[in-house]
Amino acid sequence: MMHLSSRLPLKAIVYFEAVARLRTLTRASEELSVSSSAISQQIKLLENSLGIALFRRVKRNLVLTEDGERLFKATSEALSIIRRTERQISRRMQQRPLMVRVAPSFGTLWLTKRLPDFIRANPDIDIRVDATSELTDFDKEQVDIEIRYGRETIDRQSSQLLVEDTVLPLCNQEIYSHFAYRDPAEVLQSISLIQSVKSDVSWERWMVENGLNVDNAARIQQFDRSAMAIFMAQEGLGVTLESTTLTHDAIVDGSLRPLFPMLKPVRNASYWMICPSHHLSRRPVHEFRAWLLEEVARDKAALTELQDQMFRIHTLE
């Protein structure tokens, strides 16, 4: 009588099914990409676990015993169900929308303005974007890729630095005209300072890195989001300490410009792309990741050139 163990060797079950279906160790070895001896060892392990013989040799051929036939029928049906379910899951995974989670300001000020190009180039990819500061649990949530702001909460096994940001004082053209050529320490005492409360880089840090000792700096107006701080600066309500990534388009269209181009910006590893490696097996994820890296590289090159031009203009004015 066959006594099933509660801990049957599952690898041996798979190897047994292949040999029973293909009728030879050689063909099973080719299908499974393992050696014949490895298959023989697993079948022997299975026979010992069950306490029965599964095959007998008849003129160099492997023939299933009666118990072997019963086990083959059961394993064949079970593995067929598993393989069919696997195909269904794979199809559903390939067909479901691409889910992107993004830091809110990055989503509003950078991603949204570039996303139409990706959508037009990939009309077969449905995309959903969730703008939130909450971190993703990839084991529990159907999120494919995340763009996260910050430095301390990064899973190094699945993360890649997307942007090493530069942060510097920015203002509109009117304020630039009034204050750009005055002593920076004096300016910082007389002009409204603007900052996002979620920014990793403070006015104090920027001043320290530039060797500025300002005892009576103007009051800092704080806003919850970078988008709000940037808008206030564009409206001429002060100078904001902001990311060149988030203000890229505003710098390009001239609504913002560096107030002190002679001083150095603060470099900050700001935006990380989180994408578990197994997610890249989905074509939409692979395509979006590649597009994202290309866009960031293109912006970095364009902004570097523009800042160089502004520096030269500033020195000539």
mmCIF file of all heavy atoms in Angstrom, residues 266-283:
data_model
loop_
_atom_site.group_PDB
_atom_site.id
_atom_site.type_symbol
_atom_site.label_atom_id
_atom_site.label_comp_id
_atom_site.label_asym_id
_atom_site.label_seq_id
_atom_site.Cartn_x
_atom_site.Cartn_y
_atom_site.Cartn_z
ATOM 1 N N VAL A 266 23.801 73.270 -3.743
ATOM 2 C CA VAL A 266 23.976 72.100 -2.878
ATOM 3 C C VAL A 266 23.617 70.856 -3.682
ATOM 4 O O VAL A 266 22.537 70.796 -4.294
ATOM 5 C CB VAL A 266 23.070 72.186 -1.632
ATOM 6 C CG1 VAL A 266 23.145 70.883 -0.838
ATOM 7 C CG2 VAL A 266 23.489 73.365 -0.769
ATOM 8 N N ARG A 267 24.511 69.897 -3.700
ATOM 9 C CA ARG A 267 24.231 68.636 -4.392
ATOM 10 C C ARG A 267 23.562 67.678 -3.409
ATOM 11 O O ARG A 267 23.993 67.536 -2.271
ATOM 12 C CB ARG A 267 25.505 68.024 -4.962
ATOM 13 C CG ARG A 267 26.111 68.888 -6.056
ATOM 14 C CD ARG A 267 27.074 68.101 -6.941
ATOM 15 N NE ARG A 267 27.468 68.903 -8.080
ATOM 16 C CZ ARG A 267 26.787 69.010 -9.213
ATOM 17 N NH1 ARG A 267 25.660 68.339 -9.341
ATOM 18 N NH2 ARG A 267 27.209 69.760 -10.208
ATOM 19 N N ASN A 268 22.518 67.020 -3.880
ATOM 20 C CA ASN A 268 21.726 66.196 -2.976
ATOM 21 C C ASN A 268 21.157 64.990 -3.731
ATOM 22 O O ASN A 268 20.478 65.156 -4.747
ATOM 23 C CB ASN A 268 20.570 67.042 -2.409
ATOM 24 C CG ASN A 268 19.850 66.347 -1.285
ATOM 25 O OD1 ASN A 268 20.475 65.886 -0.335
ATOM 26 N ND2 ASN A 268 18.543 66.271 -1.369
ATOM 27 N N ALA A 269 21.473 63.778 -3.252
ATOM 28 C CA ALA A 269 20.911 62.566 -3.862
ATOM 29 C C ALA A 269 19.443 62.489 -3.490
ATOM 30 O O ALA A 269 19.086 62.036 -2.401
ATOM 31 C CB ALA A 269 21.665 61.336 -3.374
ATOM 32 N N SER A 270 18.593 62.939 -4.386
ATOM 33 C CA SER A 270 17.202 63.209 -4.017
ATOM 34 C C SER A 270 16.187 62.180 -4.472
ATOM 35 O O SER A 270 15.348 61.747 -3.697
ATOM 36 C CB SER A 270 16.782 64.578 -4.571
ATOM 37 O OG SER A 270 17.593 65.596 -4.046
ATOM 38 N N TYR A 271 16.217 61.793 -5.728
ATOM 39 C CA TYR A 271 15.158 60.946 -6.273
ATOM 40 C C TYR A 271 15.704 59.570 -6.626
ATOM 41 O O TYR A 271 16.714 59.445 -7.319
ATOM 42 C CB TYR A 271 14.503 61.612 -7.492
ATOM 43 C CG TYR A 271 13.710 62.826 -7.101
ATOM 44 C CD1 TYR A 271 14.259 64.094 -7.202
ATOM 45 C CD2 TYR A 271 12.427 62.697 -6.583
ATOM 46 C CE1 TYR A 271 13.555 65.222 -6.797
ATOM 47 C CE2 TYR A 271 11.707 63.819 -6.180
ATOM 48 C CZ TYR A 271 12.272 65.076 -6.288
ATOM 49 O OH TYR A 271 11.561 66.172 -5.879
ATOM 50 N N TRP A 272 14.997 58.562 -6.144
ATOM 51 C CA TRP A 272 15.396 57.173 -6.332
ATOM 52 C C TRP A 272 14.311 56.435 -7.102
ATOM 53 O O TRP A 272 13.118 56.650 -6.884
ATOM 54 C CB TRP A 272 15.600 56.498 -4.980
ATOM 55 C CG TRP A 272 16.628 57.172 -4.126
ATOM 56 C CD1 TRP A 272 16.453 58.288 -3.351
ATOM 57 C CD2 TRP A 272 17.990 56.790 -3.972
ATOM 58 N NE1 TRP A 272 17.629 58.617 -2.719
ATOM 59 C CE2 TRP A 272 18.585 57.711 -3.078
ATOM 60 C CE3 TRP A 272 18.764 55.746 -4.488
ATOM 61 C CZ2 TRP A 272 19.922 57.624 -2.695
ATOM 62 C CZ3 TRP A 272 20.095 55.666 -4.105
ATOM 63 C CH2 TRP A 272 20.660 56.588 -3.217
ATOM 64 N N MET A 273 14.731 55.564 -7.987
ATOM 65 C CA MET A 273 13.796 54.705 -8.705
ATOM 66 C C MET A 273 13.817 53.335 -8.042
ATOM 67 O O MET A 273 14.855 52.667 -7.985
ATOM 68 C CB MET A 273 14.191 54.594 -10.183
ATOM 69 C CG MET A 273 13.276 53.698 -10.974
ATOM 70 S SD MET A 273 13.586 53.850 -12.757
ATOM 71 C CE MET A 273 15.342 53.460 -12.842
ATOM 72 N N ILE A 274 12.677 52.928 -7.513
ATOM 73 C CA ILE A 274 12.568 51.649 -6.828
ATOM 74 C C ILE A 274 11.813 50.697 -7.749
ATOM 75 O O ILE A 274 10.662 50.947 -8.104
ATOM 76 C CB ILE A 274 11.807 51.774 -5.495
ATOM 77 C CG1 ILE A 274 12.230 53.037 -4.751
ATOM 78 C CG2 ILE A 274 12.008 50.529 -4.646
ATOM 79 C CD1 ILE A 274 13.676 53.077 -4.330
ATOM 80 N N CYS A 275 12.477 49.627 -8.135
ATOM 81 C CA CYS A 275 11.856 48.658 -9.046
ATOM 82 C C CYS A 275 12.462 47.280 -8.788
ATOM 83 O O CYS A 275 13.582 47.006 -9.235
ATOM 84 C CB CYS A 275 12.068 49.067 -10.506
ATOM 85 S SG CYS A 275 11.299 47.939 -11.684
ATOM 86 N N PRO A 276 11.777 46.406 -8.048
ATOM 87 C CA PRO A 276 12.286 45.048 -7.850
ATOM 88 C C PRO A 276 12.623 44.406 -9.187
ATOM 89 O O PRO A 276 11.875 44.552 -10.164
ATOM 90 C CB PRO A 276 11.106 44.339 -7.165
ATOM 91 C CG PRO A 276 10.392 45.441 -6.435
ATOM 92 C CD PRO A 276 10.512 46.641 -7.348
ATOM 93 N N SER A 277 13.744 43.711 -9.244
ATOM 94 C CA SER A 277 14.253 43.208 -10.529
ATOM 95 C C SER A 277 13.260 42.304 -11.245
ATOM 96 O O SER A 277 13.188 42.317 -12.479
ATOM 97 C CB SER A 277 15.578 42.469 -10.307
ATOM 98 O OG SER A 277 15.412 41.424 -9.368
ATOM 99 N N HIS A 278 12.471 41.531 -10.508
ATOM 100 C CA HIS A 278 11.542 40.621 -11.185
ATOM 101 C C HIS A 278 10.402 41.369 -11.878
ATOM 102 O O HIS A 278 9.734 40.807 -12.745
ATOM 103 C CB HIS A 278 10.989 39.570 -10.210
ATOM 104 C CG HIS A 278 10.156 40.149 -9.092
ATOM 105 N ND1 HIS A 278 10.711 40.618 -7.919
ATOM 106 C CD2 HIS A 278 8.818 40.328 -8.971
ATOM 107 C CE1 HIS A 278 9.747 41.051 -7.128
ATOM 108 N NE2 HIS A 278 8.592 40.903 -7.744
ATOM 109 N N HIS A 279 10.186 42.640 -11.540
ATOM 110 C CA HIS A 279 9.155 43.424 -12.229
ATOM 111 C C HIS A 279 9.562 43.729 -13.675
ATOM 112 O O HIS A 279 8.696 43.988 -14.522
ATOM 113 C CB HIS A 279 8.906 44.734 -11.491
ATOM 114 C CG HIS A 279 8.120 44.559 -10.226
ATOM 115 N ND1 HIS A 279 7.502 45.606 -9.580
ATOM 116 C CD2 HIS A 279 7.849 43.459 -9.485
ATOM 117 C CE1 HIS A 279 6.896 45.159 -8.491
ATOM 118 N NE2 HIS A 279 7.108 43.857 -8.415
ATOM 119 N N LEU A 280 10.856 43.714 -13.947
ATOM 120 C CA LEU A 280 11.325 44.060 -15.286
ATOM 121 C C LEU A 280 10.993 42.993 -16.320
ATOM 122 O O LEU A 280 11.193 43.206 -17.510
ATOM 123 C CB LEU A 280 12.842 44.301 -15.263
ATOM 124 C CG LEU A 280 13.279 45.527 -14.453
ATOM 125 C CD1 LEU A 280 14.794 45.597 -14.371
ATOM 126 C CD2 LEU A 280 12.721 46.803 -15.063
ATOM 127 N N SER A 281 10.484 41.843 -15.873
ATOM 128 C CA SER A 281 10.055 40.820 -16.832
ATOM 129 C C SER A 281 8.809 41.273 -17.592
ATOM 130 O O SER A 281 8.502 40.744 -18.663
ATOM 131 C CB SER A 281 9.774 39.490 -16.120
ATOM 132 O OG SER A 281 8.712 39.641 -15.167
ATOM 133 N N ARG A 282 8.111 42.271 -17.054
ATOM 134 C CA ARG A 282 6.967 42.848 -17.755
ATOM 135 C C ARG A 282 7.470 43.912 -18.719
ATOM 136 O O ARG A 282 8.182 44.842 -18.334
ATOM 137 C CB ARG A 282 5.973 43.482 -16.782
ATOM 138 C CG ARG A 282 5.233 42.502 -15.896
ATOM 139 C CD ARG A 282 4.120 43.233 -15.155
ATOM 140 N NE ARG A 282 3.149 43.775 -16.084
ATOM 141 C CZ ARG A 282 2.459 44.894 -15.885
ATOM 142 N NH1 ARG A 282 2.673 45.618 -14.810
ATOM 143 N NH2 ARG A 282 1.585 45.308 -16.788
ATOM 144 N N ARG A 283 7.095 43.802 -19.987
ATOM 145 C CA ARG A 283 7.560 44.752 -20.994
ATOM 146 C C ARG A 283 7.202 46.192 -20.655
ATOM 147 O O ARG A 283 8.044 47.097 -20.799
ATOM 148 C CB ARG A 283 6.997 44.379 -22.372
ATOM 149 C CG ARG A 283 7.579 45.247 -23.505
ATOM 150 C CD ARG A 283 6.890 44.972 -24.829
ATOM 151 N NE ARG A 283 5.508 45.390 -24.829
ATOM 152 C CZ ARG A 283 5.092 46.640 -25.043
ATOM 153 N NH1 ARG A 283 5.975 47.600 -25.275
ATOM 154 N NH2 ARG A 283 3.816 46.929 -25.038
#
